[in-house]
Amino acid sequence: MNQKLINELISAIGSDNVLYEDADLVSYSYDATPDMPSQQPDAVVTPETTEHVIEIAKIADKYNIPIYTRGAGTNLSGGTIPIDKGIVLLMVKMDKIIEVDAENLTATVEPGVIIQDLNDAVSKHGLIYPPDPGTVKTATMGGSVAENSGGLRGLKYGVTKHYIMGLEIVLADGKLVKFGGKTVKNVTAYDFVKLFTGSEGTLGIITKIIVKLIPAPETRKSMLASFKTLDDAGNAVSSIVAGKVIPATLEILDNTTINVVENYVKAGLPTDAEAVLLIEVDGIPEVVEKEAKVVEEVVKNNNGDIQIAQTDAERDKLWAARRAALPALAQVSPTTVLEDATVPRSEITAMLRELKRIAEKYDLRIGTFGHAGDGNLHPTILTDERNEEEMKRVHKAVDEIFEAALKLGGTLTGEHGIGMAKMRYLGWELGEEGLEVMRKVKEALDPKYLLNPGKMVQRSE
């Protein structure tokens, strides 16, 4: 224990905001990502104000000690795991919704605000904040911005970066900077808001967020389409969008996932289907009716069957099934390795075939679900990290999943981020020149590599 460090932290932010006993620290040595190296931090601090964050950053800079900023720890890339002791900066006490500005369609929040709590607050004004990751009821706004989270509504409404208008940030040396604001148009200087969004805590510590809100849709219609082949399901996805319909949500579950989820939540999913699509269109009533008919026609033309939710209860049951996909799969085996390889929408069918081939090649059970409408699939390998031989096959399979996605014109991650889990693949997509640009940005803002070291950006050797 670095008692001098602990004493200085307590002096700066109070004893109630500093944890340093082993029993307290162990819970912050890991996050939701399996099979990741980690260490216990020296301390966990829970700042209550931006001023606290500034003081913590200055202390870390003084002692050359890393800072690992953490929200709810729900990320799936090893993005908040300490690898070299240091300070875990737990932002959950900075949880105020500072303002909902219905006139300007914005809200200003602290990073510890839960995403669902923000939506509950703005719904009273007839507004929504569209990004909705699967952990919307537990994930924090700060973590969501740092990871540039996606979610079920990404196809129509976009992802987190499309809704971040302004940020207040504490830099590695404790300096406070502010970028962006409430104005719809803002082209002043570089777009630093976009730079820090998705930077995974490696460039600065987010202490305040201004988000864009939009009016809530008047109505919506949810549908369940089932298919006897993965090809038909994948082709239906492309055909729906080609038919000039952009659903709010267009999700896929394969047969493995369907059966596991149905056993978990009893939602009435067709367990004999090779794949199902969960589809929702929203907007003004006449447009919703028109788009729903197009979806029905596309499904039938691709040899599928379709059911339409007739009540809110039926709709809620469908979407509860989708949100249960990961927890349901996680109950099947001791370890779940969840990826989020992403391809152009037109390559969904090809990627589904590749995932099936890879599962058979390495004799692994893979359940696939995800945001088919934007090409973001979540192949989930059901395994046991205690089985060394099987884990070797898992790692080879993951390599091939990313190779396949990149060959199809896709990307390593659609929403989970790079963190530790995908850092070794980054050069596959960016090349050495791209990695060098990232290093130069990192070193300009954090030359000592104190902010979330070992994630996303590595020092040049």
Side-chain angles (χ1 to χ4, degrees):
M1 181 190 300
N2 187 336
Q3 193 61 54
K4 191 173 180 182
L5 169 69
I6 300 300
N7 290 343
E8 199 156 339
L9 289 169
I10 289 173
S11 176
I13 66 173
S15 59
D16 289 345
N17 294 319
V18 182
L19 303 175
Y20 52 88
E21 299 292 349
D22 284 347
D24 296 319
L25 301 179
V26 66
S27 296
Y28 302 97
S29 63
Y30 58 90
D31 58 23
T33 318
D35 195 28
M36 288 284 110
S38 67
Q39 287 189 20
Q40 279 190 196
D42 291 299
V44 175
V45 295
T46 53
E48 298 179 11
T49 65
T50 296
E51 289 69 28
H52 278 177
V53 176
I54 290 170
E55 289 304 310
I56 293 162
K58 288 179 178 178
I59 292 169
D61 184 57
K62 173 183 173 182
Y63 286 95
N64 287 318
I65 288 177
I67 292 178
Y68 307 92
T69 307
R70 182 183 178 109
T74 57
N75 81 89
L76 295 163
S77 61
T80 57
I81 298 175
I83 62 164
D84 189 21
K85 297 203 171 189
I87 300 168
V88 168
L89 186 64
L90 185 62
M91 304 300 283
V92 294
K93 288 186 180 179
M94 293 182 66
D95 60 353
K96 297 181 184 63
I97 298 174
I98 297 168
E99 176 190 55
V100 176
D101 184 345
E103 185 175 4
N104 285 306
L105 296 180
T106 67
T108 303
V109 302
E110 290 183 327
V113 169
I114 303 297
I115 301 171
Q116 186 61 56
D117 290 346
L118 172 59
N119 259 317
D120 290 345
V122 304
S123 67
K124 299 169 186 176
H125 302 269
L127 303 171
I128 61 170
Y129 171 71
D132 64 334
T135 51
V136 65
K137 293 183 178 180
T138 52
T140 63
M141 286 296 298
S144 181
V145 174
E147 294 289 340
N148 191 18
S149 300
L152 276 65
R153 292 192 287 230
L155 171 59
K156 181 173 183 178
Y157 292 107
V159 298
T160 299
K161 67 182 179 183
H162 300 119
Y163 295 88
I164 306 306
M165 299 178 68
L167 293 173
E168 178 185 87
I169 298 157
V170 175
L171 300 178
D173 59 3
K175 290 187 176 69
L176 183 68
V177 294
K178 299 177 184 180
F179 300 113
K182 290 186 178 183
T183 58
V184 174
K185 294 181 178 179
N186 185 335
V187 294
T188 302
Y190 298 120
D191 193 347
F192 286 107
V193 171
K194 288 291 193 295
L195 175 64
F196 283 93
T197 300
S199 62
E200 301 187 18
T202 64
L203 301 180
I205 303 162
I206 297 167
T207 53
K208 193 176 295 181
I209 307 161
I210 301 173
V211 302
K212 177 175 72 173
L213 307 173
I214 65 172
E218 288 183 36
T219 190
R220 59 198 178 187
K221 182 166 285 193
S222 294
M223 295 161 272
L224 171 68
S226 58
F227 301 87
K228 292 183 171 61
T229 71
L230 283 172
D231 280 12
D232 284 338
N235 292 337
V237 170
S238 299
S239 298
I240 288 169
V241 178
K244 307 299 185 294
V245 173
I246 307 296
T249 310
L250 179 49
E251 300 289 300
I252 192 168
L253 309 179
D254 73 355
N255 180 262
T256 296
T257 309
I258 292 166
N259 279 273
V260 170
V261 168
E262 182 58 24
N263 185 58
Y264 186 68
V265 297
K266 301 294 187 293
L269 300 179
T271 54
D272 58 342
E274 192 65 23
V276 298
L277 297 179
L278 297 168
I279 309 155
E280 183 165 281
V281 291
D282 66 5
I284 60 176
E286 52 267 37
V287 172
V288 168
E289 290 301 320
K290 180 181 176 182
E291 291 185 340
K293 287 178 181 177
V294 173
V295 170
E296 285 186 69
E297 186 176 336
V298 166
V299 169
K300 290 174 182 175
N301 288 343
N302 284 277
N303 309 307
D305 297 317
I306 192 161
Q307 302 172 39
I308 299 175
Q310 301 298 321
T311 65
D312 284 345
E314 289 181 10
R315 175 195 177 273
D316 291 345
K317 185 180 285 188
L318 285 181
W319 295 112
R322 166 57 186 87
R323 292 193 183 276
L326 180 55
L329 287 165
Q331 289 200 338
V332 174
S333 298
T335 306
T336 53
V337 178
L338 173 67
E339 297 300 345
D340 76 321
T342 304
V343 296
R345 189 183 305 113
S346 59
E347 300 292 353
I348 276 286
T349 302
M351 190 64 197
L352 289 168
R353 289 184 195 137
E354 283 293 289
L355 292 172
K356 188 172 183 179
R357 177 190 65 78
I358 291 167
E360 292 171 354
K361 177 179 177 179
Y362 292 103
D363 190 24
L364 295 169
R365 190 177 184 192
I366 300 180
T368 297
F369 65 97
H371 321 300
D374 53 32
N376 185 195
L377 295 174
H378 295 313
T380 306
I381 304 174
L382 308 177
T383 184
D384 185 343
E385 61 187 353
R386 296 168 297 183
N387 185 332
E388 293 183 8
E389 187 278 328
E390 185 170 82
M391 287 306 295
K392 289 178 181 177
R393 287 185 278 123
V394 168
H395 293 146
K396 289 178 181 179
V398 170
D399 287 353
E400 279 201 37
I401 288 170
F402 291 134
E403 285 176 357
L406 293 174
K407 284 179 182 177
L408 292 170
T411 185
L412 296 172
T413 175
E415 58 187 7
H416 291 172
I418 296 296
M420 283 195 289
K422 299 187 183 74
M423 191 163 59
R424 71 188 185 92
Y425 303 108
L426 205 50
W428 293 8
E429 183 167 341
L430 300 184
E432 185 52 42
E433 295 79 5
L435 293 177
E436 184 59 26
V437 170
M438 288 184 64
R439 278 191 285 267
K440 287 179 178 178
V441 173
K442 169 72 170 174
E443 289 166 6
L445 293 168
D446 180 21
K448 296 181 181 180
Y449 281 74
L450 295 182
L451 297 180
N452 211 9
K455 321 295 165 46
M456 190 185 281
V457 188
Q458 287 182 306
R459 291 180 190 265
S460 56
E461 296 179 359

